[in-house]
């Protein structure tokens, strides 16, 4: 049974809700760490022979084309994460379509094939933006991984396993992240917060339970979580904590996870996967 590993390929200053402190116009002047941080992540993947899907931000692809080509040459899947880390529910449908087309063209030019998968920044396809699924299907995407079964950023009633959505413009697979039920609601166990804050045996047990039912667990990480703590100018302590709190253990925790379970990309996982579509 294979599980699913995904990486949102972006820089540290692409974290959400800091736009007033680190506006887009300043990004080119900030100290970028995405290339160095990615190298640490690559060595973890290589050691374990794991496959992953890299959701590439257009801004990063344009700035570091060699990084994208390298990931492609490593045999990893290149998918798309938006251009400037736009939250989808803040976009007009036509603007979203333009963001998609710009990314498809950029990625195709870099690696010779169009991306078939999309992840919205901060899981921002939710009740306010389900219209985006129709546009994704129309623009040729095969799957999306942007709807979290979590409160606030998504909706706890969303499916917790991969499902096929039927939209007016075609079918689209939806791949949700691993979550854990707690007395306070569901917790994003599949992200770096899971590895940084939860006891590892709890995560391991949850993945084993899912795999016994022939369901995959989907994990999602960012390069900045593996490059070590860095000095980040201009952020309040709460955001510094969000970036680097508990980060000393994320590399060793991921190494354990990759040793205990087998991981593949979303595209590989979906190959041969069959399921009847569910209307939205
Ligand atoms: Zn992101």
């Amino acid at each position: 049974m294979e599980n699913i590993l995904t990486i949102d390929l972006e820089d540290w200053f692409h974290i959400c809700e800091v736009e007033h402190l680190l506006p887009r116009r300043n990004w080119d002047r900030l100290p970028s760490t995405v290339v160095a941080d990615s190298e640490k992540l690559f060595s973890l993947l290589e050691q374990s022979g794991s496959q992953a899907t890299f959701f590439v931000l257009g801004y990063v692809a344009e700035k570091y084309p060699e990084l994208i080509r390298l990931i492609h040459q490593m045999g990893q899947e290149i998918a798309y994460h938006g251009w400037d880390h736009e939250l989808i529910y803040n976009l007009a449908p036509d603007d979203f379509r333009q963001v998609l087309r710009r990314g498809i063209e950029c990625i195709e030019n870099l690696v010779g094939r169009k991306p078939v998968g999309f992840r919205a920044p901060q899981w921002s396809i939710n009740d306010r933006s389900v219209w985006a699924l129709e546009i994704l299907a129309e623009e040729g995407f095969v799957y999306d991984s942007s709807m979290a079964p979590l409160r606030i950023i998504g909706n706890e009633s969303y499916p917790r396993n991969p499902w096929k959505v039927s939209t007016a413009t075609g079918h689209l697979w939806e791949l949700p992240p691993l979550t854990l039920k707690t007395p306070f609601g569901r917790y994003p166990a599949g992200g770096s917060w899971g590895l940084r804050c939860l006891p590892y045996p709890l995560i391991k047990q949850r993945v084993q339970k899912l795999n016994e039912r022939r369901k995959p667990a989907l994990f999602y990480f960012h390069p900045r979580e593996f490059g070590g703590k860095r000095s980040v100018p201009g952020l309040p302590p709460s955001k510094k904590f969000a970036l680097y709190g508990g980060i000393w253990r994320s590399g060793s925790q991921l190494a354990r996870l990759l040793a205990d379970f087998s991981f593949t990309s979303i595209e590989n996982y979906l190959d041969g996967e069959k399921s009847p579509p569910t209307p939205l």
Side-chain angles (χ1 to χ4, degrees):
M1 182 72 213
E2 290 193 299
N3 293 287
I4 300 172
L5 184 62
T6 68
I7 313 294
D8 293 354
L9 195 84
E10 60 188 46
D11 228 307
W12 65 270
F13 45 83
H14 294 126
I15 58 166
C16 292
E17 288 143 13
V18 297
E19 295 79 3
H20 57 299
L21 298 166
L22 304 170
R24 170 69 182 81
R25 64 178 179 278
N26 293 350
W27 286 359
D28 289 343
R29 293 198 294 272
L30 294 170
S32 168
T33 66
V34 66
V35 175
D37 292 347
S38 295
E39 279 163 18
K40 309 263 172 65
L41 191 51
F42 296 159
S43 61
L44 285 169
L45 295 184
E46 267 169 32
Q47 279 161 25
S48 62
S50 306
Q51 290 260 302
T53 294
F54 282 76
F55 290 101
V56 170
L57 197 66
Y59 172 86
V60 172
E62 191 172 55
K63 211 167 169 189
Y64 303 108
E66 288 312 316
L67 180 64
I68 312 307
R69 288 197 195 100
L70 175 66
I71 296 169
H72 175 68
Q73 282 158 13
M74 286 163 58
Q76 310 291 358
E77 183 191 359
I78 304 290
Y80 187 40
H81 190 44
W83 197 270
D84 279 335
H85 218 249
E86 311 85 352
L87 299 178
I88 308 308
Y89 46 71
N90 288 341
L91 294 177
D94 270 349
D95 293 335
F96 178 55
R97 194 185 295 279
Q98 293 318 313
V99 166
L100 291 183
R101 289 184 178 175
R102 192 177 179 193
I104 292 169
E105 191 186 342
C106 169
I107 289 171
E108 190 177 17
N109 285 340
L110 285 175
V111 301
R113 66 176 292 231
K114 294 178 180 173
V116 296
F118 179 76
R119 168 165 300 144
Q122 202 171 251
W123 307 94
S124 58
I125 296 183
N126 56 23
D127 296 348
R128 296 160 69 187
S129 48
V130 278
W131 49 262
L133 299 178
E134 284 189 9
I135 298 177
L136 282 164
E138 215 169 10
E139 294 298 321
F141 284 86
V142 172
Y143 72 84
D144 173 61
S145 180
S146 309
M147 298 179 76
L150 293 165
R151 265 190 297 198
I152 304 173
I153 60 167
N155 188 322
E156 288 202 346
S157 72
Y158 293 164
R160 298 195 292 271
N161 293 303
W163 58 297
K164 201 189 226 175
V165 195
S166 170
T167 82
T169 56
H171 299 154
L172 194 71
W173 281 94
E174 186 59 45
L175 286 292
L178 176 70
T179 58
L180 262 179
K181 198 172 165 189
T182 76
F184 314 101
R186 299 203 76 85
Y187 185 88
S192 146
W193 278 113
L195 288 188
R196 284 146 79 183
C197 303
L198 295 174
Y200 178 75
L202 202 64
I203 297 175
K204 183 174 174 177
Q205 191 187 45
R206 180 75 194 123
V207 178
Q208 282 169 333
K209 281 254 159 63
L210 274 171
N211 289 177
E212 279 164 19
R213 292 169 40 217
R214 310 303 299 163
K215 302 287 183 197
L218 185 149
F219 287 82
Y220 61 99
F221 301 107
H222 304 84
R224 61 177 175 261
E225 289 146 1
F226 302 96
K229 205 169 172 177
R230 293 168 186 276
S231 142
V232 286
L235 289 184
S238 63
K239 286 292 169 190
K240 284 185 180 167
F241 182 75
L243 273 172
Y244 297 126
I247 204 168
W248 56 273
R249 65 201 298 247
S250 43
S252 56
Q253 295 281 74
L254 178 60
R256 288 174 85 179
L257 190 68
L258 297 182
D260 284 342
F261 298 98
S262 173
F263 280 91
T264 193
S265 65
I266 295 180
E267 194 178 22
N268 283 348
Y269 167 75
L270 288 179
D271 191 24
E273 196 65 21
K274 288 187 177 58
S275 169
T278 310
L280 263 180

